[in-house]
């Protein structure tokens, strides 16, 4: 939680019209600037950030160091692209702006975006770097846009002159599919020196939904994650059951395949699903047992709607596969008359040996655990009861 | 350790004289152009330890002999004299300039501003020389900034300082201490009745 005053130097020269960073280099910069401002102000509420432009008619300070995020973002909007960047003057003006910051207790930092070629000598840059170091100003350089041997060399020399105890950094961002801001998030420019803004970074990454299965953090909401995982496995199981049935109907020679593929898919499903919330599944507590039973009961109850859902799912997925087409037709016919497909699913869950093998693959679950045995037994009873109910219903219909 | 002053030291204990270092707010001490960040704190110690540099000393960056040391105190002090122990081989500072009660002085400020007092230093490796201040100007010092622009030269490319001693008196007064302030967004006048409004200063006995 370092108390810091930061000046961001934006490159708004003609080179920024290029579209190799989407949508244009300049817009990518603006995104990165707004992210940096957010990260800095979140890390410490007393941090201040200011912005200046280096090209255009000359170096111009858009906003002096302030902690008001809205003001910073508003000022960054009206900036126009044009002219040539003046790196040395930009850094010196930034240093001056920091010198006149209101709170002298803040550490000074300059973040400079260098997208166009650097016309200054290495010597001049080193001199500037030494002056910054002497006045204990840290410098972060973002090297993107134009790629030039000389440019990289000069910027590295500048960094070496400024660097005091690794407080200054340089990041090279090559053009590519990922946005400038995404690349910057993982660099020390955002994460400070290991602490502080990493909380903001984690929040930004989580908001994008990246890295977690189903887009839900198992640490934040373990029950939701568990429920999602269970229903996903169930859905897959049912699809595989239909495929298996189709294969049986179509040709007995293919019988071996779907079941093995089913097993393979089930194991695949189990492995990634459990890699993250593994700690949560260590003990299947009574609560979870009850939830699991409820989920299973609900999904098996509502057979007609699930058949319809499954139809749409399967038609989407199996446009090409002839066997699955057959399966579709068969399942539609079956679904109208009887509840054979849910019974298939029932059978799968009721097949105790199969279930115990699946459960054995779940880490931390012992199939011989009495709780699990009870669960399986009760599920079996339930499925038997369901069959009885359905049979009795059929009799009533007749 | 015997005192090398030219008077007999049994009358007073040099150590207690130079005890103003106890009133320095060490966490807020800072230096500009120091090679090792934080090394400035090692120069403030007991008089008896002034020649003991085992815990480090203050050195400037390569090829740059300028140093600025910012020293805040925990309460206002009256500064009588200053003692500096430098390094050998010309790394001792040659000049010292002092600024009082100004925060955030950097090198360009220091070069442009008029110092409160300036001294020409001599090489003082044993720590026996003291530089007196114009006492009238140093009566209520909340913080002091020392600027060392040059060293004795020769082969020295850096400036080294091993000890800074301060002699004087600490008053118990503090600067800029803010008492508890209650901020009110919408003040309610009825909460702030003055004496006149409450019916004067006569008390009732019922």
């Amino acid at each position: 939680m370092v108390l810091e005053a930061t000046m961001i130097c934006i490159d708004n020269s003609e080179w920024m019209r290029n579209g190799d960073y989407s949508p244009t280099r300049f817009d990518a910069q603006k995104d990165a600037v707004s992210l940096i401002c957010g990260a800095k102000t979140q890390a410490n509420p007393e941090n201040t950030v200011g912005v200046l432009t280096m090209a255009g008619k000359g170096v111009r300070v858009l906003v002096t160091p302030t902690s008001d995020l809205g003001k910073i973002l508003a000022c960054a909007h009206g900036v126009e692209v044009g002219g040539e960047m003046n790196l040395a003057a930009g850094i010196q003006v930034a240093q001056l702006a920091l010198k006149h910051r209101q709170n002298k207790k803040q550490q000074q930092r300059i973040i400079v975006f260098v997208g166009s070629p650097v016309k200054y000598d290495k010597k001049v840059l080193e001199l500037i770097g030494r002056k910054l170091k002497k006045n204990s100003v840290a410098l972060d350089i973002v090297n993107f846009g134009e790629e030039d041997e000389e440019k990289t060399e000069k910027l590295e020399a500048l960094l070496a002159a400024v660097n005091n105890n690794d407080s200054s950094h340089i990041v090279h961002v090559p053009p590519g599919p990922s946005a400038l801001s995404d690349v910057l998030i993982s660099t020390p420019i955002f994460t400070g020196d290991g602490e502080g803004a990493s909380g903001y970074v984690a929040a930004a990454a989580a908001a994008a939904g990246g890295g977690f299965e189903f887009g839900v953090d198992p640490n934040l909401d373990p029950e939701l994650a568990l429920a999602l995982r269970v229903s996903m496995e169930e859905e897959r199981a049912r699809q595989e059951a239909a495929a298996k049935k189709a294969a049986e109907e179509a040709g007995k020679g293919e019988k071996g395949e779907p079941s093995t593929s089913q097993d393979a898919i089930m194991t695949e499903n189990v492995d990634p699903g459990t890699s993250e919330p593994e700690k949560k599944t260590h003990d299947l507590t009574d609560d979870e047992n009850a939830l699991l039973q409820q989920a299973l009961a609900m999904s098996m109850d509502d057979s007609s709607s699930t058949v319809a859902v499954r139809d749409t799912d399967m038609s989407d997925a199996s446009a090409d596969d002839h066997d699955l087409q057959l399966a579709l037709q068969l399942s539609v016919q079956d679904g109208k008359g009887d509840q054979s497909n849910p019974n298939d699913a029932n059978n799968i869950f009721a097949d105790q040996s199969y279930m115990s093998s699946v459960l054995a693959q779940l880490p931390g679950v012992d199939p011989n655990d009495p709780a699990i045995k009870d669960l399986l037994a009760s599920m079996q009873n339930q499925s038997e009861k369901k069959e009885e109910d359905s049979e009795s219903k059929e009799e009533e219909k007749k | 350790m015997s005192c090398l002053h030219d008077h007999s030291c049994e009358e007073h204990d040099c150590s207690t004289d130079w005890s103003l270092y106890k009133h320095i707010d060490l966490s807020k001490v800072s230096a500009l152009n120091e090679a090792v960040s934080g090394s400035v704190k090692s120069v403030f110690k007991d008089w008896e330890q002034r020649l003991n540099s085992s815990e480090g000393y203050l050195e400037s960056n390569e090829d740059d002999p300028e140093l600025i040391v910012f020293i805040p105190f925990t309460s206002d002090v009256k500064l009588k004299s200053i003692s500096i122990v430098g390094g050998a081989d010309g790394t001792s500072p040659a000049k010292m300039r002092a600024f009082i009660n100004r925060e955030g002085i950097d090198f360009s400020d220091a070069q442009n501003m008029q110092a409160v007092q300036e001294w020409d230093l001599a090489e003082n490796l044993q720590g026996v020389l003291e530089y007196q201040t114009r006492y009238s100007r140093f009566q209520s010092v909340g913080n002091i900034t020392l600027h060392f622009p040059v060293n004795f030269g020769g082969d020295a490319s850096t400036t080294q300082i091993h000890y800074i001693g301060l002699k004087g008196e600490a008053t118990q007064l503090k600067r800029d201490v803010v008492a508890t302030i209650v901020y009110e967004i919408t003040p309610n006048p009825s909460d702030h009745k003055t004496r006149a409004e409450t019916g004067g200063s006569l008390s009732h006995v019922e």
Side-chain angles (χ1 to χ4, degrees), chain A residues 172-212:
Chain A
H172 305 275
V173 187
S178 52
L180 186 61
S181 357
D182 291 339
V183 175
L184 284 179
I185 279 184
S186 53
T187 60
I189 291 181
F190 258 93
T191 60
D193 281 320
E195 21 100 349
S198 56
Y200 183 85
V201 170
F212 291 121

Side-chain angles (χ1 to χ4, degrees), chain A residues 99 133-136 164, chain B residues 33 64 66 106-109:
Chain A
K99 183 171 143 159
K133 183 174 176 181
K134 192 168 168 178
N135 288 299
S136 64
N164 183 5
Chain B
N33 202 29
D64 203 347
E66 276 194 86
D106 68 355
F107 287 99
S108 46
D109 292 335

Side-chain angles (χ1 to χ4, degrees), chain A residues 237-260:
Chain A
R238 241 179 268 127
Q239 285 192 7
E240 293 312 311
K244 187 180 177 184
K245 192 171 168 83
E248 281 178 8
E249 300 281 336
K252 294 182 183 173
E254 295 174 356
K255 195 176 183 183
E257 282 179 38
S259 50
T260 52

Side-chain angles (χ1 to χ4, degrees), chain B residues 11-143:
Chain B
E11 291 135 31
H12 68 273
D13 183 4
C14 276
S15 189
T16 49
D17 272 347
W18 294 94
S19 60
L20 215 51
Y21 75 93
K22 294 180 189 157
H23 297 273
I24 295 176
D25 192 350
L26 260 184
S27 59
K28 298 201 186 118
V29 168
S30 68
L32 288 183
N33 202 29
E34 56 180 344
V36 177
S37 175
S39 57
V40 61
K41 299 183 188 176
S42 60
V43 304
F44 299 105
K45 46 203 168 186
D46 198 38
W47 167 261
E48 305 287 328
Q49 307 297 322
R50 69 192 185 282
L51 298 178
N52 179 6
S53 304
S54 54
E55 296 197 7
Y57 51 88
L58 177 61
E59 185 164 15
S60 69
N61 279 319
E62 276 292 313
D63 293 330
D64 203 347
E66 276 194 86
L67 273 175
I68 286 184
V69 181
F70 173 69
I71 308 165
F73 296 101
T74 52
S75 61
D76 282 3
V77 302
K78 299 184 202 227
L79 199 55
K80 206 183 262 178
S81 57
I82 306 177
S83 172
I84 306 276
V85 174
D89 298 330
T91 55
S92 279
K95 279 190 82 160
M96 178 165 71
R97 306 170 70 226
F99 304 90
I100 292 185
N101 294 335
R102 303 278 303 247
E103 282 192 29
I105 294 185
D106 68 355
F107 287 99
S108 46
D109 292 335
Q111 276 149 15
N112 298 333
M113 277 171 22
Q114 175 93 359
V116 174
Q117 191 169 353
E118 297 190 20
W119 294 265
D120 286 324
L121 306 178
E123 284 201 60
N124 179 17
L125 295 172
Q126 296 305 312
V128 296
L129 287 176
E130 48 182 274
Y131 303 96
Q132 287 195 330
T133 64
R134 281 201 204 113
Y135 203 44
S136 57
R137 296 194 190 175
F138 288 76
Q139 285 296 302
S140 64
V141 178
N143 57 61

Side-chain angles (χ1 to χ4, degrees), chain A residues 10-16 25 29 54-55 83-87 113-119 142-148 151-152 155:
Chain A
I10 298 185
D11 181 0
N12 61 328
S13 60
E14 286 288 350
W15 279 266
M16 293 302 110
R25 286 178 181 175
Q29 250 190 109
M54 292 191 285
E84 237 186 67
M85 170 183 83
N86 187 345
L87 183 63
F113 286 85
V114 187
S116 42
V118 178
K119 64 184 184 220
V142 179
N143 180 11
F144 71 111
E146 294 298 308
E147 301 215 324
D148 199 356
K151 180 190 183 200
T152 313
L155 292 177

Side-chain angles (χ1 to χ4, degrees), chain A residues 173-388:
Chain A
V173 187
S178 52
L180 186 61
S181 357
D182 291 339
V183 175
L184 284 179
I185 279 184
S186 53
T187 60
I189 291 181
F190 258 93
T191 60
D193 281 320
E195 21 100 349
S198 56
Y200 183 85
V201 170
F212 291 121
E213 201 176 25
F214 310 125
V216 173
D217 183 354
N219 294 320
L220 288 179
D221 204 348
E223 291 167 1
L224 182 58
L226 183 65
L228 285 170
R229 190 167 54 85
V230 167
S231 62
M232 184 71 149
E233 287 173 15
E234 253 179 66
E235 189 55 46
R236 294 242 180 119
R238 241 179 268 127
Q239 285 192 7
E240 293 312 311
K244 187 180 177 184
K245 192 171 168 83
E248 281 178 8
E249 300 281 336
K252 294 182 183 173
E254 295 174 356
K255 195 176 183 183
E257 282 179 38
S259 50
T260 52
S261 67
Q262 175 186 22
D263 280 342
I265 289 173
M266 280 301 280
T267 55
E268 258 176 46
N269 213 7
V270 164
D271 285 344
T274 56
S275 61
E276 286 157 40
E278 62 215 20
K279 285 173 189 163
K280 310 297 173 190
T281 60
H282 265 289
D283 301 314
L284 275 186
T285 59
D286 286 343
D287 286 342
E288 289 181 0
N289 274 352
L291 265 177
L292 198 57
Q293 288 190 21
Q294 265 181 32
L296 289 169
M298 273 168 46
S299 54
M300 283 176 212
D301 261 340
D302 215 357
S303 60
S304 51
S305 54
T306 51
V307 167
V309 166
R310 241 179 310 115
D311 276 349
T312 54
D313 279 349
M314 285 198 236
S315 53
D316 285 344
S318 62
D320 307 334
D321 197 349
H322 178 62
D323 288 343
L324 279 174
Q325 288 258 335
L326 267 175
L328 259 178
Q329 291 169 5
L330 284 164
S331 62
V332 166
Q333 285 171 10
D334 285 345
K336 284 177 190 166
D338 208 348
Q339 299 168 354
S340 59
N341 282 327
N343 280 347
D344 274 346
N346 273 353
N347 289 339
I348 286 172
F349 282 106
D351 185 3
Q352 189 154 13
S353 57
Y354 174 71
M355 266 314 276
S356 57
S357 71
V358 168
L359 284 174
Q361 285 153 1
L362 285 173
V365 172
D366 185 5
N368 296 326
D369 196 356
I372 295 171
K373 276 190 167 170
D374 285 342
L375 173 64
L376 287 173
S378 65
M379 274 163 48
Q380 221 176 7
N381 288 343
Q382 245 188 9
S383 61
E384 284 172 10
K385 203 180 168 189
K386 284 255 170 313
E387 288 181 16
E388 287 174 18

